[in-house]
Amino acid sequence: MKMADLGDVQLHYRVDGDPHGVPIVFANSLGTDLRLWDAVVPLLPPGLRIIRYDKRGHGLSSLPRPPYTMGGLVRDVERLLDMLEVRDAVFVGLSIGGMIAQGLAVKRFDIVRAMVLSNTGAKIGTPEIWQQRIDAVREGGIEALADATMERWFSRDFRARPEMLLWRNMLTRTPADGYIGCSQAISGTDFYTPTSGLRLPTLGIAGSEDGGTPPDLVRETTELVPGSKFHLIRRAGHLPCVEKPEEYAQVLTEFLREVGHI
Ligand SMILES: O=C(O)CC1=CCC(=O)O1
């Protein structure tokens, strides 16, 4: 566990694998922290420098007051990766993490050499939907959203398992300001034009039962980048790295091999 002091924000991060290996960076979704990748990391091949972090307002990172912007979230990870002297990374972003991936790829070709757009979109939802969620959290806390969120995050089978409660607790223990700030950032983001201009190896991953970012949205976003690939994980919701870690790690490993990262 490490803390990067970036001045206006402190980011919790951790590095696993080979400290001198080729970098792979993971960015989490709304309402989760870097433990999102716990089941996938041990299944990755050797020789990788595996970097994970908690975005602002989440996990053990600091909790600046909202509003947050997508530009600010991109700038946070950009500063973290500059501090760690990361170049030519494969950047794996899930949901809002996939938006951060697109924003960083547009800005920093030297840092992002390939990207994985997992359960994400160039634009997610509408400002009205995000405002409803923000209002609900202001009124009733994140608990008010928890049951509906579990339905978007997980398949019916997984929701019947006790592990589901781990993720429900992770969501409901996210600070309201962190959730609201990131919701505002998503609400204000439309990356269709910038992402269409990207030219880098790109893999899209979707879950067949994802109620937050359905497969068609992930496919459409991924196809903005010419030559991209797409993989659908069946019987999984918004967090296939949790529900199907073996398949997720296998698809990721194949992509790393294809782009010459391992
Ligand atoms: O919680 C959800 O509905 C899914 C989601 C959208 C953006 C994100 O990061 O998670």
Side-chain angles (χ1 to χ4, degrees):
M1 288 203 309
K2 295 219 162 68
M3 195 66 127
D5 187 355
L6 304 177
D8 58 327
V9 68
Q10 288 74 43
L11 294 186
H12 168 227
Y13 70 99
R14 66 176 284 174
V15 182
D16 294 284
D18 179 351
H20 306 293
V22 286
I24 180 166
V25 182
F26 289 91
N28 325 321
S29 56
L30 181 64
T32 67
D33 63 35
L34 54 70
R35 289 174 289 181
L36 182 66
W37 308 102
D38 275 358
V40 166
V41 165
L43 303 176
L44 295 176
L48 294 171
R49 180 184 178 203
I50 303 165
I51 298 160
R52 300 185 263 169
Y53 76 104
D54 291 334
K55 64 191 162 297
R56 58 172 61 205
H58 284 67
L60 301 180
S61 291
S62 61
L63 178 57
R65 287 181 69 82
Y68 304 166
T69 62
M70 191 55 65
L73 296 174
V74 169
R75 178 90 187 109
D76 287 348
V77 70
E78 180 185 13
R79 287 186 292 168
L80 172 68
L81 297 178
D82 274 336
M83 190 201 87
L84 297 174
E85 297 182 352
V86 170
R87 294 291 176 269
D88 295 321
V90 171
F91 196 107
V92 184
L94 193 147
S95 205
I96 187 176
M99 291 183 136
I100 293 169
Q102 294 167 66
L104 187 64
V106 166
K107 200 173 171 193
R108 295 291 300 268
F109 299 122
D110 57 331
I111 293 182
V112 185
R113 68 168 295 248
M115 64 178 178
V116 178
L117 301 180
S118 181
N119 306 80
T120 191
K123 182 179 186 314
I124 300 177
T126 61
E128 294 71 30
I129 286 172
W130 289 107
Q131 193 55 52
Q132 281 166 15
R133 284 211 211 172
I134 290 166
D135 293 344
V137 171
R138 286 204 175 114
E139 229 170 83
I142 295 185
E143 185 61 43
L145 301 179
D147 290 340
T149 302
M150 291 304 105
E151 292 192 6
R152 290 192 300 273
W153 281 11
F154 297 118
S155 66
R156 186 184 292 271
D157 286 353
F158 192 87
R159 289 202 304 276
R161 286 164 49 180
E163 298 96 282
M164 189 271 276
L165 287 175
L166 296 169
W167 301 95
R168 195 182 192 285
N169 289 344
M170 188 182 284
L171 170 72
T172 56
R173 289 170 195 181
T174 301
D177 273 356
Y179 190 95
I180 289 170
C182 287
S183 298
Q184 290 164 329
I186 296 168
S187 173
T189 300
D190 181 345
F191 276 145
Y192 273 99
T193 302
T195 298
S196 301
L198 284 171
R199 299 292 177 266
L200 78 170
T202 299
L203 167 70
I205 300 179
S208 62
E209 296 178 39
D210 184 347
T213 50
D216 282 354
L217 172 66
V218 185
R219 191 192 291 274
E220 182 185 272
T221 299
T222 306
E223 284 177 352
L224 295 174
V225 186
S228 60
K229 300 221 155 132
F230 175 81
H231 182 88
L232 179 69
I233 299 189
R234 293 188 193 280
R235 292 183 295 283
H238 189 58
L239 307 181
C241 51
V242 171
E243 282 196 68
K244 303 278 176 199
E246 290 84 6
E247 184 172 345
Y248 201 96
Q250 190 193 329
V251 171
L252 210 48
T253 303
E254 274 164 25
F255 182 64
L256 293 171
R257 206 165 280 129
E258 271 171 34
V259 303
H261 215 55
I262 51 170

